[in-house]
């Protein structure tokens, strides 16, 4: 709550002609240093019918604390228990609700009943310190009241916790911002019992207001002579000077460390993905027939393209994570290289000594197998001559099967070696892909950090300049302010 808000609340108490009992210069000093005290004096001089205040509020700790804080002010305001309220009693009514809530149907019904009974209604929202948007909530509640034709009611913003903190710290400015003193002044005006509740009580209130006003002036004089305000500004300036680079060095160091960490993580991830592809390829080669073996280089190229897409997704996620840890925006565009190439197709396998040896071994094994099969035919003289060509045919067939099986096995081994070499090349290309993306990302992230740190450095320089100007102004105005404070003290002392 601003100091001007407290003054506005105090101005709700209408002045009285009895206020002339104080000289005009004394009233001016009180209004300048202690607006709530001036409002309280006017409330004591106001005319009206005597009565307590009917208190409608939730039964919680904040309400109890507000009761306690109001009880510290003089004159004492009697807040009646809502359970004992009679609508026919000609009393003022204080309705208290939470600063974060919007008025509902039950609250409007209560306001309508009190207005029908010709009550003077005061509305207050407690605990505004806990809500940053309390002004918006207050404006919304006033709009709702206006929609129902209630335009003569205002809503006072108070905070019992701020009032308690102000008393603990002996901070008069914080007490004014709490709004509790302003609420007390309005309540005092609403419950005044004539020009005076007794000369002795009025004198006691007047003495307390004058003492409080003098204490506030003395507090300001002490602060001016000790240079507390300029010391605070200098401390803030020293703190800002420590951040004059806008966090550029720390930001760039964070960029370098995060990029290095991302490079290590991505290199490890790429190696794991390539190994998984290699293991899958070996398993597929073991199940391939001749036609599938010949078409396998195209399948491996397709698998490498799919792997590059997966690697790109991992790279994007890791770059975003690095940007989040640095505290800046991720790069808008990431470089996309073409899919890695597995290299030229494998060379045609050349036949060697092993192939010729397998032909001989296959023919030998086939002839031996054929002779074993036709051995019973040799026992029959008529079939002995026919056993020889059968043996040759069986030998040729066995030799052809062994040669074909050996060729397929050799081609599978040959292709397996080619896959291993091709995946080594793919891994190198993917690691180069990672390195290129991270270099671009590091450059862009560093640019983000430099731009943000430059903006912060400019703001720091601007604030330092403002602090220097404020310090010079305070030092220059201090003699005049001390003189003004001493004149106000003299006015109070003369009365």
């Amino acid at each position: 709550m601003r100091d001007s808000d407290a003054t506005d609340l105090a101005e709700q108490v209408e002045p009285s002609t009895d206020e002339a009992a104080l000289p005009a210069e004394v009233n001016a000093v009180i209004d300048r240093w202690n607006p709530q005290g001036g409002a309280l004096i006017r409330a004591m001089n106001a005319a009206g019918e005597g009565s307590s205040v009917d208190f409608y509020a939730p039964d919680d700790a904040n309400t109890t604390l507000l009761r306690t804080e109001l009880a510290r002010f003089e004159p004492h305001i009697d807040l009646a228990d809502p359970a004992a309220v009679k609508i026919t009693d000609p009393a003022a009514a204080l309705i208290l609700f939470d600063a974060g809530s919007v008025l509902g149907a039950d609250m409007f019904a209560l306001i309508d009943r009190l207005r029908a009974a010709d009550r003077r209604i005061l509305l207050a929202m407690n605990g505004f310190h806990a809500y940053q948007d309390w002004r918006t909530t207050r404006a919304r509640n006033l709009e709702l009241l206006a929609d129902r034709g209630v335009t003569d009611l205002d809503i006072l913003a108070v905070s019992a916790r701020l009032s308690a903190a102000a008393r603990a710290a002996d901070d008069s400015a914080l007490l004014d911002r709490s709004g509790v003193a302003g609420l007390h002044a309005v309540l005092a005006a609403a419950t005044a019992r004539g020009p005076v509740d007794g000369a002795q009580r009025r004198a006691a209130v007047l003495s307390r207001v004058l003492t409080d006003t003098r204490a506030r002036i003395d507090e300001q004089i002490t602060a001016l002579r000790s240079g507390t305000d300029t010391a605070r500004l200098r401390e803030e300036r020293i703190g800002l000077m420590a951040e004059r680079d806008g966090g550029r060095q720390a930001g760039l160091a964070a960029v370098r460390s995060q990029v290095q960490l991302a490079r290590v993580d991505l290199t490890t991830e790429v190696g794991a993905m390539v190994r998984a592809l290699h293991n899958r390829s070996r398993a597929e080669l073991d199940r391939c027939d001749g036609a599938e073996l010949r078409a396998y280089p195209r399948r491996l190229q397709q698998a490498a393209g799919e792997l590059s897409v997966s690697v790109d997704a991992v790279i994007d996620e890791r770059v975003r994570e690095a940007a989040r840890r640095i505290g800046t925006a991720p790069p808008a565009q990431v470089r996309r290289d073409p899919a890695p190439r597995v290299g030229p197709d494998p060379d045609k396998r050349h036949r060697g000594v092993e192939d010729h040896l397998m032909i001989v071994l296959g023919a030998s094994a086939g002839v031996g197998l054929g002779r074993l099969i036709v051995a019973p035919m040799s026992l029959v003289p008529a079939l002995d001559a026919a056993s020889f060509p059968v043996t040759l045919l069986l030998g040729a067939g066995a030799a052809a099967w062994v040669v074909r099986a050996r060729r397929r096995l050799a081609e599978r081994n040959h292709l397996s070696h080619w896959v291993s070499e091709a995946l080594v090349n793919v891994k190198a290309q993917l690691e180069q892909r990672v390195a290129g993306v991270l270099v671009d990302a590091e450059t862009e992230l560093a640019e983000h950090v430099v731009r943000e740190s430059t903006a912060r450095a400019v703001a720091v320089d601007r604030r330092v300049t403002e602090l220097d100007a404020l310090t010079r102004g305070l030092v220059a105005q201090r003699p005049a302010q001390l003189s003004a404070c001493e004149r106000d003290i003299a006015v109070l002392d003369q009365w």
Side-chain angles (χ1 to χ4, degrees):
M1 190 173 183
R2 301 168 301 173
D3 294 339
S4 59
D5 295 335
T7 304
D8 294 340
L9 294 177
E11 289 176 352
Q12 295 183 25
V13 180
E14 297 180 357
S16 170
T17 56
D18 292 338
E19 191 179 358
L22 288 176
E25 59 271 16
V26 176
N27 289 326
V29 171
I30 293 175
D31 289 337
R32 182 162 54 250
W33 289 97
N34 190 5
Q36 306 298 345
L40 182 58
I41 293 175
R42 289 190 290 272
M44 291 294 295
N45 293 328
E49 295 185 4
S51 176
S52 63
V53 175
D54 297 336
F55 192 36
Y56 298 85
D59 186 11
D60 56 18
N62 288 331
T63 300
T64 302
L65 183 60
L66 182 62
R67 283 179 176 272
T68 303
E69 290 301 315
L70 285 174
R72 299 178 184 274
F73 290 87
E74 286 292 340
H76 177 70
I77 305 297
D78 185 15
L79 300 178
D81 187 355
V85 168
K86 295 181 180 179
I87 298 298
T88 58
D89 291 343
L94 172 61
I95 301 176
L96 186 71
F97 57 94
D98 187 74
S101 62
V102 178
L103 297 177
D106 294 340
M107 190 69 70
F108 286 124
L110 175 60
I111 293 173
D112 292 339
R113 291 201 309 272
L114 294 175
R115 288 173 67 86
D118 199 20
R119 295 284 193 90
R120 179 175 180 179
I121 302 173
L122 303 175
L123 296 177
M125 49 194 298
N126 189 20
F128 70 88
H129 67 278
Y131 305 95
Q132 292 184 353
D133 58 343
W134 66 269
R135 291 183 178 84
T136 303
T137 303
R138 177 176 178 272
R140 176 57 179 163
N141 287 327
L142 290 175
E143 290 177 1
L144 293 176
L145 289 171
D147 292 341
R148 298 177 65 89
V150 181
T151 58
D152 58 335
L153 294 183
D154 195 9
I155 300 177
L156 309 181
V158 299
S159 173
R161 294 192 180 277
L162 284 184
S163 177
R167 292 187 181 277
D170 196 18
D171 189 344
S172 58
L174 183 60
L175 181 61
D176 289 343
R177 287 196 295 271
S178 71
V180 177
L183 176 62
H184 174 265
V186 174
L187 291 174
T191 59
R193 295 186 178 91
V196 184
D197 276 353
Q200 184 176 2
R201 188 176 185 184
R202 180 180 182 278
V205 172
L206 184 59
S207 174
R208 185 179 66 83
V209 170
L210 292 174
T211 301
D212 187 23
T213 304
R214 184 185 180 94
R216 296 187 180 206
I217 300 175
D218 289 337
E219 179 183 346
Q220 181 65 19
I221 291 175
T222 302
L224 289 173
R225 288 176 176 172
S226 63
T228 304
D229 48 359
T230 56
R232 178 181 54 81
L233 294 178
R234 290 192 182 98
E235 290 178 0
E236 183 180 355
R237 186 182 188 279
I238 292 172
L240 290 174
M241 292 300 292
E243 303 174 357
R244 197 159 192 175
D245 68 337
R248 176 175 301 181
Q249 295 300 325
L252 292 178
V255 169
R256 287 191 294 270
S257 63
Q258 288 300 322
V259 169
Q260 292 298 328
L261 182 60
R263 179 176 288 108
V264 173
D265 293 344
L266 289 174
T267 302
T268 303
E269 184 70 17
V270 167
M273 296 171 75
V274 172
R275 284 194 299 272
L277 177 59
H278 191 193
N279 293 334
R280 188 168 66 250
S281 298
R282 291 174 60 183
E284 291 175 353
L285 287 175
D286 291 339
R287 296 190 298 267
C288 288
D289 57 16
E292 292 175 340
L293 286 176
R294 289 189 294 272
Y296 194 77
R298 290 192 298 273
R299 290 181 58 184
L300 185 62
Q301 179 61 58
Q302 182 181 359
E306 296 173 353
L307 180 62
S308 67
V309 174
S310 301
V311 170
D312 288 339
V314 174
I315 292 174
D316 292 343
E317 179 62 27
R318 193 63 184 81
V319 169
R320 285 193 295 269
E321 177 67 16
R324 186 188 64 80
R325 293 182 179 180
I326 295 169
T328 186
Q333 293 182 350
V334 179
R335 184 175 65 180
R336 287 286 182 265
D337 293 335
R341 303 296 301 175
V342 297
D345 291 343
D347 297 334
K348 187 175 180 181
R349 189 180 67 87
H350 299 285
R351 293 184 179 181
V353 177
E354 291 184 356
D355 296 285
H356 299 294
L357 181 60
M358 289 307 299
I359 293 174
V360 173
L361 293 177
S364 175
V367 171
L369 180 62
R371 290 184 62 85
L372 180 62
I373 293 175
V374 301
M377 298 174 61
S378 61
L379 300 176
V380 181
L383 299 177
D384 187 30
S387 64
F388 182 72
V390 173
T391 300
L392 293 178
L393 289 175
L394 290 174
W401 180 84
V402 171
V403 170
R404 186 170 61 254
R406 171 58 185 169
R407 182 183 299 117
R408 182 174 299 174
L409 182 60
E411 292 200 358
R412 182 179 291 120
N413 291 334
H414 178 68
L415 190 58
S416 179
H417 287 296
W418 176 82
V419 167
S420 298
E421 295 175 356
L423 290 182
V424 169
N425 186 31
V426 169
K427 180 182 178 183
Q429 294 180 60
L430 291 177
E431 290 177 348
Q432 181 65 29
R433 189 188 197 91
V434 168
V437 171
L438 290 182
V439 168
D440 294 343
E442 182 177 6
T443 301
E444 190 164 349
L445 290 175
E447 291 176 355
H448 279 297
V449 169
V450 170
R451 286 196 297 268
E452 294 173 358
S453 61
T454 300
R456 286 194 295 269
V458 171
V460 168
D461 289 341
R462 186 180 296 114
R463 180 57 180 166
V464 168
T465 302
E466 293 175 357
L467 292 177
D468 291 339
L470 287 173
T471 302
R472 290 192 297 270
L474 289 175
V475 172
Q477 297 171 6
R478 186 174 297 161
Q481 290 177 347
L482 283 172
S483 299
C485 291
E486 291 171 353
R487 284 196 302 270
D488 290 342
I489 288 289
V491 169
L492 295 180
D493 290 341
Q494 291 175 1
W495 186 77

